[in-house]
Amino acid sequence: MPATTRPAGGLAALTAGLTLMAGLTLTACDTTTTATPDATAPPCRTAALTWTLSLLDGDGDGDGDGRGGDRSGARLTAVNKGSGACLFAGYPGLEIHNGKADGIEGAGAGRPSAVALPGHATVTVDLRYTRRGTPGAGTWCVRQHEAAVTAPHDTHGTVVPVTDAHGKAALLDACGETIAMAPPRRAGAGA
């Protein structure tokens, strides 16, 4: 008969205690996640969202005065048009081109957390770019009144007009190869 090894009294209690603590730790960690029924929602699709691209901080006025320092800002917003939830899981696609010539794409760092987007809720992505005329901006620039966007993991895009902070038509005048994207976040009511 093979011999089995069983922990002796004190060691058995220690092992049981560690097992209990590990179970509590896992349970505690599990309760901090935001697992909701929305986390099982289907991915958001480009066509199921209403998109806007708004310049911030007086950008798009065309005066080239460099207000706001070396970097300028914009905000890409998507509103879930439907009544059902969808999951905005990653960075959206963003491309701005001068015809078939120079182009700039949006790029984010890392893997952002998925955003559960109930019906009629809004997700925003803040953008930072180098404005034309900024010292060191270089010559790889686009000046455009629209951008092509896609929802994360979708292949069908749409064209979105660029507006100023007041909703009037504007031009995005950016230089470099990328526009920096902040992680997507759910906007509060009325945003």
Side-chain angles (χ1 to χ4, degrees):
M1 183 170 205
T4 57
T5 308
R6 290 194 173 111
L11 188 54
L14 177 63
T15 303
L18 289 175
T19 303
L20 177 61
M21 284 178 44
L24 291 175
T25 302
L26 290 175
T27 302
C29 288
D30 196 32
T31 60
T32 61
T33 62
T34 56
T36 65
D38 291 340
T40 61
C44 294
R45 296 291 174 214
T46 305
L49 303 167
T50 300
W51 297 87
T52 56
L53 177 56
S54 299
L55 303 180
L56 306 174
D57 304 323
D59 291 344
D61 55 15
D63 63 9
D65 67 0
R67 289 182 290 176
D70 293 344
R71 301 285 283 174
S72 293
R75 180 166 292 138
L76 182 62
T77 304
V79 178
N80 183 353
K81 292 192 264 188
S83 58
C86 66
L87 200 60
F88 200 91
Y91 290 102
L94 173 69
E95 297 178 3
I96 304 166
H97 294 279
N98 282 337
K100 293 184 180 180
D102 297 340
I104 296 179
E105 295 183 359
R111 290 182 56 173
S113 298
V115 177
L117 204 57
H120 310 290
T122 302
V123 63
T124 63
V125 178
D126 289 334
L127 310 172
R128 299 297 290 169
Y129 60 92
T130 303
R131 186 191 288 201
R132 184 187 310 260
T134 302
T139 58
W140 186 271
C141 301
V142 295
R143 183 175 172 93
Q144 194 55 261
H145 65 278
E146 62 187 17
V149 298
T150 55
H153 311 293
D154 197 357
T155 56
H156 302 306
T158 190
V159 175
V160 178
V162 176
T163 61
D164 65 14
H166 305 288
K168 295 180 181 175
L171 288 171
L172 187 126
D173 199 358
C175 297
E177 293 183 20
T178 60
I179 291 177
M181 302 174 91
R185 62 183 169 77
R186 180 117 164 254

